[in-house]
Amino acid sequence: MHADQFALLERLQRSAYIFPLAVLAAALMISISESSYVKARGTLTELTEMGRARLMIYNIKLRATDAESAQRGYLLTRRREYLGPYEEANEDLGRAMKSLRAHYQQLQDAQALALLAQLEQAVGAKMGELAEVLERQERGRADSALELIQAGIGRDQMELIRARAEELMHRENLRVGAGLREVVKALLQNRIGVAAMTALSLLALAMYLRQSRALSRQRLALAEAVKAERDLLESEVHRRTEELTQLATHLQSAREDERSRLARELHDELGALLTAAKLDAARIKPKLPPELQERLSHLNEALNSGIALKRRIIEDLRPSSLTHLGLLPALEIQAREFSERLEVPVLTELEAVPLSPRAELTLYRLVQEAFTNIATYANASEIQVRLLNRDGRALIEVRDNGQGFDTQQQTLSSHGLLGMRYRVAAEGGQLMISSVRGQGTVLSASLPLPASPPATPL
């Protein structure tokens, strides 16, 4: 197995060189693609600006023609609505000239700026001629306006506008052609680069796949060896867990036996001593003078307290209610006594379940441990105890509305619950703890019911 591991490590080291090659190919591909994209995007932006410039040049020619047509229509019809296109053209021509000048200044094209200056001069002269004709017409000098038209000044300026506009349009067309060639060049560069990097990537992929197949075979052999070791470890863990469970069961049984023995000795020995002392006190009471009667009464109260304490200790060590009355009355008594001691209501919902005496004792101790933790840590104002018979299993639940705790955090106080978990597992059951800080705690256990009801202990 060690030789397989060394071979796998060697192949992994060789395959490590393939990854930088693939990364390099991908980086080059991205670099070429990004460079081509930036170049093409810049060229397309320039083409857009060129298209706007061509549109403005065409608009200048169109607006100059519209202004001239509007003037002619007004002169023929004498209707003011015909001057609308003339007035709009006057405004549009100014904006178009300003935009074209900013465009050529950005390009730093001196020749285009010179042509634009001539175009501006021609447009200004043309618009001035139109305005002069209209002014003469407005003053009633129709003959003078007609003479100005027939002089041909406006016609010459119009021809100059068309000529300069055509020259500017030709220059823009040349720029558009050059821009399109740059776009094609960038696309071709991107295509060649992508093809080259794709070939390099395919080579790296082929090398990677070759190494991957070899690595897969090595991994499969190593995985089988690891699985065999894991199975061996799992069987060992299972065996050790069984041993721990058996040990926990033995310790719990020994603990309960010791508790029973101690309870019997307390009942027989200490109980006899306390009872004898109480009888002796009763015998000597009539013989004592009145001044000692009060002290004897205090002695009787102390003996009664000792007897009550003895009974509580014996009950905690070995619950007689569970032995003589059964699980349900014992749980009822335990809940009532805990409620009186803690002054907190304890609600019970108990169903009869056929369990063995050991399983009944396990459930009784589980509730006892839960009550101990609630009294120590929970600060609860209400407690619920439920015992249910569900689908062949006995379900017991102790719920409180106390401060709760983090179930993921192990504390010293959790050892009692850990021992109870092993004790429940020894009976074939499961112990579950659910708690959220500020929302209380739920301690529940599920134990299987025997196939036939257990025999009632004598």
Side-chain angles (χ1 to χ4, degrees):
M1 187 185 70
H2 295 293
D4 293 338
Q5 290 177 343
F6 286 132
L8 179 61
L9 181 60
E10 184 179 356
R11 289 185 180 276
L12 285 171
Q13 290 174 346
R14 287 201 302 267
S15 64
Y17 296 104
I18 300 176
F19 181 72
L21 180 62
V23 172
L24 177 62
L28 289 174
M29 185 181 297
I30 293 174
S31 176
I32 293 172
S33 177
E34 189 67 18
S35 175
S36 301
Y37 167 75
V38 171
K39 188 175 181 181
R41 181 179 178 182
T43 305
L44 289 174
T45 302
E46 293 176 0
L47 288 174
T48 303
E49 293 297 324
M50 295 173 192
R52 291 179 62 234
R54 293 173 75 248
L55 184 60
M56 285 185 289
I57 294 170
Y58 176 77
N59 193 40
I60 289 172
K61 290 186 349 181
L62 181 63
R63 283 306 189 181
T65 303
D66 289 345
E68 187 177 46
S69 300
Q71 182 212 48
R72 299 295 188 267
Y74 175 71
L75 293 176
L76 291 174
T77 63
R78 301 295 192 275
R79 297 172 63 179
R80 295 295 301 180
E81 58 265 23
Y82 276 91
L83 291 179
Y86 164 77
E87 295 171 351
E88 293 176 1
N90 207 4
E91 297 177 0
D92 290 345
L93 285 170
R95 287 195 297 267
M97 290 295 181
K98 185 177 180 180
S99 298
L100 277 177
R101 179 165 294 280
H103 172 67
Y104 289 127
Q105 285 176 348
Q106 185 178 3
L107 294 177
Q108 297 181 352
D109 190 344
Q111 189 173 359
L113 286 171
L115 291 173
L116 180 61
Q118 297 176 18
L119 179 61
E120 288 177 339
Q121 185 178 1
V123 169
K126 177 61 181 177
M127 296 306 292
E129 184 264 342
L130 293 176
E132 181 65 25
V133 170
L134 290 174
E135 185 180 356
R136 292 182 182 185
Q137 182 66 33
E138 290 291 335
R139 292 178 179 179
R141 298 167 58 192
D143 294 338
S144 177
L146 183 59
E147 288 177 2
L148 183 58
I149 293 174
Q150 291 175 350
I153 297 174
R155 183 180 64 252
D156 294 340
Q157 296 300 324
M158 198 65 193
E159 290 296 330
L160 183 59
I161 290 172
R162 292 191 181 96
R164 296 298 175 264
E166 290 297 331
E167 290 180 16
L168 289 173
M169 187 71 75
H170 177 68
R171 293 183 65 82
E172 292 299 327
N173 289 337
L174 292 178
R175 283 198 183 91
V176 170
L180 291 175
R181 286 191 294 274
E182 287 295 325
V183 172
V184 172
K185 182 179 177 181
L187 292 175
L188 181 61
Q189 179 184 359
N190 182 62
R191 183 179 180 185
I192 294 173
V194 170
M197 291 305 102
T198 301
L200 184 60
S201 299
L202 289 175
L203 176 61
L205 179 61
M207 296 173 63
Y208 173 76
L209 291 177
R210 180 180 176 185
Q211 290 292 334
S212 294
R213 285 194 294 269
L215 289 173
S216 296
R217 291 192 293 269
Q218 293 285 344
R219 286 196 191 97
L220 183 61
L222 187 59
E224 291 178 353
V226 170
K227 183 177 182 299
E229 287 190 1
R230 186 177 65 238
D231 293 341
L232 181 61
L233 289 174
E234 286 182 354
S235 77
E236 182 66 18
V237 169
H238 182 70
R239 185 179 67 81
R240 293 292 179 88
T241 303
E242 289 286 341
E243 290 178 354
L244 288 174
T245 304
Q246 292 175 5
L247 179 60
T249 303
H250 171 71
L251 291 176
Q252 291 293 342
S253 299
R255 183 183 180 186
E256 291 297 337
D257 292 342
E258 182 63 21
R259 283 182 168 184
S260 298
R261 185 189 64 79
L262 184 58
R264 285 194 302 270
E265 289 184 359
L266 287 174
H267 181 271
D268 296 339
E269 302 295 334
L270 183 60
L273 290 175
L274 292 174
T275 302
K278 190 173 182 181
L279 291 175
D280 289 341
R283 290 193 193 100
I284 65 175
K285 183 176 181 180
K287 301 176 182 179
L288 291 177
E291 61 272 11
L292 295 179
Q293 293 287 333
E294 184 176 355
R295 288 188 173 275
L296 188 60
S297 298
H298 286 301
L299 177 60
N300 279 327
E301 291 176 1
L303 290 173
N304 290 332
S305 299
I307 293 172
L309 177 61
K310 182 248 329 177
R311 288 174 180 171
R312 285 200 304 271
I313 293 174
I314 292 174
E315 191 66 24
D316 288 339
L317 290 173
R318 182 67 180 178
S320 59
S321 59
L322 179 64
T323 305
H324 299 92
L325 302 177
L327 179 60
L328 267 61
L331 292 178
E332 288 282 2
I333 294 172
Q334 188 182 37
R336 184 176 65 253
E337 290 178 351
F338 180 77
S339 176
E340 293 173 354
R341 185 169 70 252
L342 203 64
E343 296 183 354
V344 171
V346 179
L347 308 178
T348 58
E349 180 184 351
L350 307 176
E351 295 181 4
V353 288
L355 291 172
S356 65
R358 194 173 71 174
E360 289 183 347
L361 182 59
T362 297
L363 293 186
Y364 183 88
R365 293 300 187 195
L366 175 65
V367 175
Q368 189 178 46
E369 180 69 26
F371 281 167
T372 300
N373 290 334
I374 291 172
T376 307
Y377 306 105
N379 193 23
S381 61
E382 184 177 287
I383 304 167
Q384 297 179 0
V385 179
R386 302 173 66 203
L387 176 61
L388 307 174
N389 187 339
R390 292 291 183 270
D391 301 326
R393 299 185 71 86
L395 304 179
I396 191 162
E397 176 183 286
V398 182
R399 180 187 300 268
D400 69 78
N401 63 348
Q403 61 186 9
F405 64 96
D406 185 2
T407 57
Q408 302 299 323
Q409 185 176 2
Q410 185 96 14
T411 61
L412 294 176
S413 62
S414 63
H415 294 313
L417 293 177
L418 182 61
M420 190 58 63
R421 188 183 299 275
Y422 278 108
R423 187 164 183 174
V424 171
E427 297 297 326
Q430 294 178 338
L431 179 66
M432 293 151 286
I433 303 173
S434 175
S435 182
V436 179
R437 290 193 179 276
Q439 299 183 19
T441 303
V442 178
L443 178 68
S444 59
S446 171
L447 272 67
L449 297 177
S452 58
T456 303
L458 296 176

